[in-house]
Amino acid sequence: MNTFLGFGREHVERHYRKTGQSVYMLLKRHVKEKATGAAGGAISRRRNGRVFLDLELNRDFNGDEYECEDEAKLVIFPDHFEIPLPNIEELPALVTIACDAVLNAASAYKKQESDSWDEEIQVSKHARSLRQQDNGVRIPPSGWKCQKCEMRENLWLNLTDGAVLCGKWFFDGAGGNGHALDHYKDTNFPLAVKLDNITADGADIYSFDEEEAVLDPHISEHLQHFGIDMLQMQQNGTENGHLNTDNTESVRPRVSEWEVIQESGMKLKAVYGSGFTGIKNLGNSCYLGTTMQVLFSIPEFQRAYVGNLQRIYDYSPLDPTTDFSTQMAKLGHGLLSGLYSKPPMKSELIEQVMREEYKHQPKGISPKMFKAMVSKGHPEFSSNRQQDAHEFFLHLINLVERNSAGSENPSDVFRYLVEERVQCCQTQKVCYNQKVDYLMQLPAPIEAASNREELIAYEAKRREAEENMRAPPEPVRARIPFTACLQAFTEPENVPDFWSSALQAKSAGVKTSRFASFPEYLVVQIKKFTFGVDWVPKKLDLSIDVPDFLDLSRLRGTGLQAGEEELPDLTPPIVLPEDTRDDSMNSSDSPDIDESAAMQLAEMGFPLEACRKAVYYTGNMGPEMAFNWIIAHMEEPDFAEPLALPSFMEAGPSMASLGLAATPLDNQPPEESIAILTSMGFPRHHTVQALKATNNNLERALDWIFTHPEEEEEEASDDLLDMSDIMEPNDNTFSNANTNSHSTLSPDQDASGPRIKDGPGRYELFAFISHMGASTMSGRYVCHIKKEGRWVIFNDHKVCLSERPPKDLGYIYFYRRLSSC
């Protein structure tokens, strides 16, 4: 009753011993079957007359046959003296007020839901009174086009007159020319529905008058007016309410991706016990559940968190809800203890069979507190929207890295070095670099599909159907050999803005990547997603024959080869701070800015000058990086001011050849680069140190931060870092110390140290995560994990033995290294 933190029975004693807090409130909810009257009907009554706790009621006990009773007591430690509540007579007034406030408060999770980006959608005031024109308009199942332009994406159907018009550019990237809004201004017809999102469960509806997304309880009737039958969609599983009567194959539709991945229609046997506990879906949280199921099937993660459970609990902070290790240990214990995955009692089974309602499923564990902690401050993961499991995996690895200083870092099992070879196309000279990575991204070359002729024929039929406004043909899934994906990975990649030190100018270059080391666990992501014209990630329909055993030994890097000539060790032009600009700089000089990326951001509603600065300060690394810069700098007073053009220092001999440090001047990084890294949550002194060690290269600096935990560096170099801002540029003593202490990884260093677990490149598949749906922003995830020689499917809280694991439809694959013979 002091910190208002909640604890289970097995942990409250530990909290009392640690803090000395002795007054706790005991909250219980009792669920029981209702008493049955003489006529056989349930008597609807509760012994205490009310349910006052704001707790989530298990849906299995949410029917008319059960009732709930809530109980509250004050418990005084260490004697466990109990005082029933309410108790106005025996308790001081302040204590009574505090107890009432706790009992009447909304739960923390409901408060969190109100803070999420997804606000509750209200019923439109126009829904019941909407008058539709009887103009004979019928909407075809496909081939839609804006009536005022050529747009075929982001189309909206006006529910009054049936006009099909395009939307406008919104913050989420949905594209169009705004003709639907113009139509409303001309006609005052308020409601429109997004055409490509109509399903049997509902549709996306927007009210131009109310200027927000709304609900329409009569949407089925309103769509029926234009020939779209939602009831028919529910019965027949067709898209947009239309039956394909011309195609005889519609009677036997292709088995959908959803059915194959979830193994629908098969009698899957449920499994129970340690390692077979499901995770409840909190609403679009399956990306988190599947990722954590796979991670906690890895011994290193089990040992780091569950193996050290008692130590982590004993040394957790006073508020364990904010501690990463505590929440990881709690989640891991829930998954591996077996306490939340027990088979039903025989008596329960007999009773359910007698009632003909056998539907026992393990309840699984709810990761609400874990999700709240790992997603705090993240604009996407803190929302209730579906997310990309690949991005969440990297986000979690980032958190593991930050919170593993001074202890075992389980994410090291994924860590490996990539050897990048860049060749100048004009001089044919090369340079080799190494960077840290945790995940191998494999391209999926459609042109290498084994059924290429089928795909070409399908595309021709699809276009013909679209032009003639007929139903589209049955989709054809591309079948791509895994060897073709590996071949595409090894292909050279163009680097058009490569700065060649041999030419001392920008030149075309080509880059190839190899493994400088092999990780203990290899994570392979198939690049299934691309961006549509509306900037929404869309998934390619692919089937890839991913092997159970994988040998990547031939992809190990070899370093500089005989006959290759290295590019000179010269520094590229350095952007000087604004106060050192050359006053004589020609006013016609312009910075190198990707104007197309700036325009894409400007179309989202941001000031053009701010977008140009964002693209410039992120080194033309694309709209996504620039967007992050915008979010981090929106509150600055000069956010929308024009970009101040810096001057450039002429390239020349390397500073090392002049007897100075390997970095120019005092290597004080640009404030823009520091701001980008600090906006990601890293301390300023650590980002300064990283940029100095990597010659102000943002990408390499980010890798450097992960390879040099802050705590380790502080012990040896805090004093030097604190002096870096005041020492003179030509202080050779400081420059030499900085160069020797903080150099980046290079081939002649010990790359197989404690952070890199190099070994043979031979692997065995043990898990994969699959995505169902058209985009990372929608759909669902399930995962399959091989345990005790058997494949097991984890589908939210349901855990069953897999009969036919769909390994060809996976999105992220997890391999473990084979022990050398």
Side-chain angles (χ1 to χ4, degrees):
M1 293 298 292
N2 184 281
T3 62
F4 299 105
L5 296 172
F7 299 92
R9 180 185 299 274
E10 64 272 24
H11 300 295
V12 66
E13 288 277 1
R14 177 186 283 108
H15 188 259
Y16 163 69
R17 292 193 302 269
K18 179 185 291 187
T19 65
Q21 303 291 338
S22 58
V23 183
Y24 294 82
M25 181 184 287
L26 175 63
L27 304 175
K28 281 186 178 180
R29 167 161 289 174
H30 304 278
V31 181
K32 65 176 185 178
E33 287 190 86
K34 290 182 180 178
T36 304
I43 301 176
S44 179
R45 64 181 178 85
R46 294 191 178 95
R47 187 168 58 202
N48 65 353
R50 63 174 181 159
V51 176
F52 51 80
L53 298 180
D54 184 23
L55 301 177
E56 179 184 357
L57 183 63
N58 192 309
R59 61 186 176 186
D60 290 344
F61 303 107
N62 205 18
D64 295 333
E65 300 177 5
Y66 298 92
E67 65 178 355
C68 300
E69 293 180 358
D70 290 346
E71 178 185 10
K73 301 177 182 177
L74 279 186
V75 181
I76 314 299
F77 280 74
D79 299 327
H80 292 263
F81 180 72
E82 297 183 353
I83 304 174
L85 295 175
N87 194 330
I88 302 176
E89 295 80 9
E90 298 182 16
L91 294 175
L94 289 177
V95 176
T96 301
I97 293 173
C99 292
D100 289 342
V102 171
L103 295 176
N104 294 323
S107 69
Y109 302 116
K110 287 190 176 179
K111 289 181 180 179
Q112 178 190 345
E113 289 174 3
S114 66
D115 293 336
S116 72
W117 285 18
D118 294 333
E119 299 179 0
E120 184 177 356
I121 301 177
Q122 303 295 328
V123 174
S124 171
K125 64 183 181 181
H126 301 288
R128 301 185 186 279
S129 59
L130 185 70
R131 293 186 178 181
Q132 296 181 283
Q133 295 181 357
D134 190 11
N135 53 12
V137 172
R138 291 293 181 268
I139 305 300
S142 62
W144 314 302
K145 190 179 75 170
C146 176
Q147 295 177 4
K148 295 186 178 180
C149 68
E150 297 299 316
M151 285 294 298
R152 294 182 180 270
E153 303 281 343
N154 190 28
L155 297 178
W156 294 77
L157 169 68
N158 191 287
L159 290 176
T160 300
D161 63 356
V164 176
L165 300 160
C166 62
K168 62 177 292 185
W169 282 100
F170 290 109
F171 177 77
D172 64 355
N177 297 312
H179 289 138
L181 178 60
D182 294 341
H183 185 67
Y184 162 72
K185 293 177 180 178
D186 295 337
T187 62
N188 286 326
F189 298 155
L191 299 183
V193 60
K194 201 167 191 296
L195 272 177
D196 57 356
N197 283 358
I198 300 173
T199 68
D201 299 321
D204 292 343
I205 307 163
Y206 188 82
S207 171
F208 295 106
D209 178 41
E210 296 158 284
E211 296 184 343
E212 63 179 353
V214 295
L215 296 177
D216 179 3
H218 306 286
I219 185 61
S220 180
E221 300 170 19
H222 292 156
L223 290 174
Q224 178 69 47
H225 182 81
F226 299 111
I228 302 176
D229 191 341
M230 295 183 70
L231 179 62
Q232 188 183 83
M233 295 168 69
Q234 189 171 18
Q235 293 174 345
N236 301 289
T238 56
E239 286 191 9
N240 300 308
H242 297 273
L243 277 175
N244 181 8
T245 56
D246 297 331
N247 190 347
T248 56
E249 291 183 1
S250 64
V251 180
R252 294 177 287 104
R254 184 186 66 164
V255 178
S256 73
E257 175 187 61
W258 291 69
E259 294 172 302
V260 174
I261 290 177
Q262 295 185 104
E263 303 187 52
S264 302
M266 298 183 182
K267 294 183 179 180
L268 303 181
K269 180 182 178 182
V271 286
Y272 309 93
S274 174
F276 299 107
T277 303
I279 296 180
K280 291 181 182 178
N281 194 329
L282 306 179
N284 292 326
S285 68
C286 46
Y287 68 91
L288 179 149
T290 52
T291 303
M292 300 314 300
Q293 289 283 13
V294 175
L295 290 184
F296 275 111
S297 70
I298 296 174
E300 283 75 6
F301 277 83
Q302 297 174 359
R303 183 170 60 250
Y305 296 107
V306 183
N308 291 321
L309 185 74
Q310 295 305 321
R311 182 184 65 81
I312 292 174
Y313 283 174
D314 288 339
Y315 290 96
S316 64
L318 295 181
D319 185 0
T321 63
T322 61
D323 183 62
F324 178 78
S325 296
T326 302
Q327 294 306 314
M328 283 286 285
K330 173 186 172 183
L331 181 65
H333 176 261
L335 293 176
L336 299 175
S337 65
L339 296 175
Y340 308 97
S341 178
K342 295 181 179 180
M345 301 293 291
K346 185 177 293 186
S347 58
E348 294 178 6
L349 287 175
I350 294 174
E351 184 178 355
Q352 289 173 355
V353 171
M354 292 294 291
R355 293 182 179 183
E356 297 182 352
E357 58 176 26
Y358 176 66
K359 49 186 176 183
H360 177 87
Q361 286 290 347
K363 305 300 184 297
I365 59 176
S366 177
K368 286 183 177 179
M369 193 175 295
F370 177 79
K371 182 179 186 296
M373 190 273 303
V374 299
S375 63
K376 185 177 181 180
H378 194 285
E380 290 299 329
F381 299 134
S382 61
S383 74
N384 292 330
R385 296 187 292 272
Q386 186 63 275
Q387 303 297 332
D388 190 346
H390 154 243
E391 293 181 0
F392 180 75
F393 170 77
L394 295 178
H395 173 70
L396 192 80
I397 293 300
N398 186 1
L399 292 176
V400 173
E401 289 277 357
R402 294 189 193 182
N403 292 275
S404 295
S407 60
E408 179 185 6
N409 187 341
S411 68
D412 285 349
V413 299
F414 301 121
R415 186 184 180 87
Y416 66 97
L417 291 177
V418 177
E419 176 188 278
E420 289 187 340
R421 175 188 182 273
V422 183
Q423 184 174 34
C424 174
C425 292
Q426 293 190 41
T427 65
Q428 302 302 309
K429 296 181 180 180
V430 299
C431 67
Y432 285 84
N433 299 304
Q434 289 186 351
K435 70 173 186 178
V436 174
D437 212 337
Y438 295 86
L439 178 143
M440 178 186 188
Q441 292 186 302
L442 271 187
I446 295 291
E447 63 276 6
S450 58
N451 60 337
R452 192 163 178 265
E453 291 75 14
E454 284 184 75
L455 294 172
I456 294 174
Y458 161 74
E459 185 63 22
K461 291 179 181 178
R462 187 193 65 79
R463 290 179 180 175
E464 180 183 356
E466 186 176 274
E467 292 172 357
N468 297 323
M469 301 184 71
R470 293 201 306 265
E474 185 73 18
V476 176
R477 180 172 294 144
R479 297 191 297 271
I480 303 176
F482 186 78
T483 52
C485 298
L486 284 180
Q487 181 62 36
F489 174 79
T490 61
E491 291 294 325
E493 176 185 350
N494 290 326
V495 187
D497 289 329
F498 172 65
W499 190 85
S500 172
S501 59
L503 300 172
Q504 297 189 21
K506 285 188 176 181
S507 169
V510 292
K511 179 179 72 174
T512 55
S513 299
R514 295 290 189 273
F515 287 88
S517 67
F518 286 112
E520 192 167 353
Y521 287 81
L522 177 68
V523 185
V524 179
Q525 178 214 5
I526 304 296
K527 291 184 179 180
K528 284 192 169 186
F529 293 93
T530 183
F531 283 95
V533 296
D534 56 359
W535 272 75
V536 175
K538 296 183 178 180
K539 189 168 70 175
L540 303 174
D541 193 5
L542 306 174
S543 171
I544 300 177
D545 59 338
V546 176
D548 287 312
F549 296 93
L550 185 61
D551 189 349
L552 300 179
S553 302
R554 65 183 183 87
L555 297 184
R556 183 181 286 273
T558 56
L560 189 67
Q561 296 294 293
E564 289 183 334
E565 186 177 355
E566 272 194 291
L567 285 163
D569 181 20
L570 299 177
T571 57
I574 303 300
V575 178
L576 298 179
E578 187 175 347
D579 57 2
T580 62
R581 286 181 297 166
D582 184 2
D583 294 336
S584 63
M585 184 183 72
N586 190 322
S587 60
S588 64
D589 290 347
S590 60
D592 184 14
I593 295 178
D594 184 352
E595 295 293 347
S596 62
M599 288 303 299
Q600 290 170 10
L601 295 170
E603 287 169 341
M604 294 182 185
F606 300 113
L608 177 59
E609 290 299 334
C611 299
R612 297 182 79 248
K613 285 200 294 187
V615 174
Y616 175 75
Y617 287 142
T618 54
N620 292 312
M621 295 175 69
E624 185 175 352
M625 284 290 292
F627 177 79
N628 293 335
W629 188 95
I630 287 176
I631 297 301
H633 294 78
M634 287 182 68
E635 303 301 325
E636 296 179 0
D638 62 343
F639 174 68
E641 294 296 322
L643 174 65
L645 302 180
S647 62
F648 289 85
M649 179 180 178
E650 291 294 331
S654 68
M655 302 302 284
S657 66
L658 300 179
L660 302 176
T663 49
L665 301 181
D666 64 344
N667 194 27
Q668 183 62 24
E671 282 298 322
E672 308 84 54
S673 300
I674 297 174
I676 291 172
L677 293 177
T678 54
S679 68
M680 298 179 185
F682 302 113
R684 176 184 172 87
H685 69 270
H686 205 199
T687 61
V688 171
Q689 192 177 1
L691 288 164
K692 287 182 176 182
T694 57
N695 201 22
N696 299 331
N697 183 301
L698 274 175
E699 185 177 358
R700 290 172 57 201
L702 195 59
D703 289 336
W704 189 96
I705 289 174
F706 291 139
T707 58
H708 298 73
E710 179 186 359
E711 290 78 359
E712 297 176 5
E713 300 299 329
E714 285 178 349
E715 297 178 2
S717 58
D718 267 354
D719 293 338
L720 294 179
L721 287 171
D722 292 339
M723 297 175 65
S724 64
D725 292 333
I726 61 175
M727 296 192 73
E728 294 297 323
N730 293 326
D731 193 319
N732 292 332
T733 304
F734 173 74
S735 297
N736 290 335
N738 184 57
T739 303
N740 294 334
S741 301
H742 309 297
S743 60
T744 55
L745 280 170
S746 59
D748 56 348
Q749 287 179 309
D750 182 14
S752 59
R755 303 301 310 280
I756 301 296
K757 301 183 178 182
D758 195 9
R762 297 187 298 276
Y763 295 94
E764 179 183 7
L765 181 68
F766 77 93
F768 60 95
I769 295 174
S770 305
H771 174 268
M772 298 164 286
S775 164
T776 54
M777 301 167 65
S778 61
R780 292 193 62 235
Y781 290 93
V782 302
C783 69
H784 289 72
I785 305 175
K786 197 172 186 178
K787 296 195 173 192
E788 301 172 1
R790 305 173 300 176
W791 282 101
V792 180
I793 179 173
F794 293 79
N795 188 354
D796 292 338
H797 63 283
K798 295 175 287 188
V799 183
C800 302
L801 292 178
S802 172
E803 293 290 333
R804 194 176 299 164
K807 289 179 283 189
D808 60 322
L809 299 180
Y811 175 42
I812 306 175
Y813 296 86
F814 295 81
Y815 285 85
R816 66 164 60 92
R817 182 189 293 153
L818 290 171
S819 56
S820 55
C821 300

